[in-house]
Amino acid sequence: MKLKSIFAYLIGLIALALSLLIYMQYVFMLGFPDGFITELEIAQRQLAYVFIIVSIISAFCFIYLGYLASKKDVGKKLLIATITYLICIIAIYCINYYYQLNLTDSRGG
């Protein structure tokens, strides 16, 4: 098995794990026990759905590239896919940071 194939499978596995982590953190355990959801949590939930969809699509792309890596050279495609996925992660993180700065949350005072 080529190193590029292992790298592609590993990145695909990390993308799936990140989507599960984000789901558990921002969607599954959302809100207070009484059902109240803040403005920030609503925005973060929508952003989490976008991240989960991007991560799952990227994970399948990486797994497919890992499969192709055993047959032909996919180094350039793998690099482009990795950079694109990292740009998406950074963009979603920046949007989340903007939401945290500007939307109301559950802190009082």
Side-chain angles (χ1 to χ4, degrees):
M1 190 175 257
K2 292 182 179 180
L3 184 62
K4 291 177 185 174
S5 177
I6 293 171
F7 180 72
Y9 285 132
L10 183 65
I11 296 295
L13 183 65
I14 289 171
L16 285 176
L18 281 176
S19 66
L20 180 65
L21 176 72
I22 294 298
Y23 176 78
M24 296 300 280
Q25 189 172 8
Y26 288 103
V27 178
F28 182 70
M29 299 296 288
L30 183 69
F32 293 100
D34 64 355
F36 177 71
I37 298 175
T38 64
E39 191 177 278
L40 176 64
E41 290 172 335
I42 292 170
Q44 284 179 333
R45 178 176 33 179
Q46 297 302 321
L47 197 58
Y49 285 139
V50 170
F51 179 77
I52 290 168
I53 290 169
V54 167
S55 289
I56 290 174
I57 291 171
S58 297
F60 286 128
C61 177
F62 285 123
I63 291 170
Y64 178 69
L65 286 175
Y67 172 73
L68 286 181
S70 61
K71 297 178 180 163
K72 58 182 177 177
D73 187 34
V74 293
K76 196 173 195 179
K77 292 178 185 177
L78 185 60
L79 180 66
I80 291 170
T82 305
I83 290 172
T84 304
Y85 184 60
L86 288 176
I87 289 172
C88 288
I89 289 174
I90 291 168
I92 290 173
Y93 176 77
C94 290
I95 293 169
N96 186 35
Y97 183 70
Y98 175 78
Y99 285 164
Q100 288 178 358
L101 290 177
N102 294 311
L103 296 177
T104 58
D105 57 0
S106 60
R107 290 183 283 178

